[in-house]
């Protein structure tokens, strides 16, 4: 399923259309982050992954690229779907 623009705007409490393109970019960036974090398991639909994506969108929107660590809740929600890595 994934996060829609409408849901992302509600989450970020954005009530205008001026930043739609920006928020869409954050949706894509959050999706990309989760694909890299979870690997192929991100293809599975799970409400936890959708919520993690929504939290990332909100984080990106609020911080506008400033910040060095994603919210811990994102990793808590997405962690169970993460594929083991070989080191």
């Amino acid at each position: 399923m994934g996060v829609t623009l409408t849901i992302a705007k509600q989450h970020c409490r954005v009530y205008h259309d001026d930043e739609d393109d920006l928020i869409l970019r954050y949706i894509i960036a959050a999706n990309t982050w989760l694909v890299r974090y979870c690997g192929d398991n991100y293809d599975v639909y799970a409400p936890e992954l959708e919520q993690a994506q929504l939290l990332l969108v909100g984080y990106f929107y609020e911080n506008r690229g400033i910040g060095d660590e994603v919210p811990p809740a994102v990793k808590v929600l997405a962690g169970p779907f993460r594929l083991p890595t070989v080191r």
Side-chain angles (χ1 to χ4, degrees):
M1 187 171 164
V3 172
T4 65
L5 177 60
T6 301
I7 297 296
K9 287 174 69 173
Q10 288 174 351
H11 178 74
C12 296
R13 293 185 174 100
V14 174
Y15 305 108
H16 53 79
D17 298 331
D18 298 346
E19 298 179 296
D20 284 4
D21 290 341
L22 178 66
I23 295 169
L24 283 170
R25 288 178 176 268
Y26 292 152
I27 292 170
I28 293 167
N31 185 66
T32 301
W33 189 93
L34 286 163
V35 166
R36 290 182 181 152
Y37 187 76
C38 295
D40 291 337
N41 277 354
Y42 188 65
D43 290 339
V44 175
Y45 171 75
E48 299 92 339
L49 292 175
E50 190 171 295
Q51 185 63 31
Q53 185 181 11
L54 189 58
L55 289 174
L56 276 173
V57 170
Y59 173 76
F60 294 153
Y61 182 79
E62 288 297 319
N63 293 288
R64 306 290 172 124
I66 300 170
D68 55 356
E69 187 65 36
V70 299
V74 172
K75 291 182 179 180
V76 168
L77 289 165
F81 300 92
R82 191 168 192 195
L83 293 174
T85 57
V86 178
R87 293 184 186 246

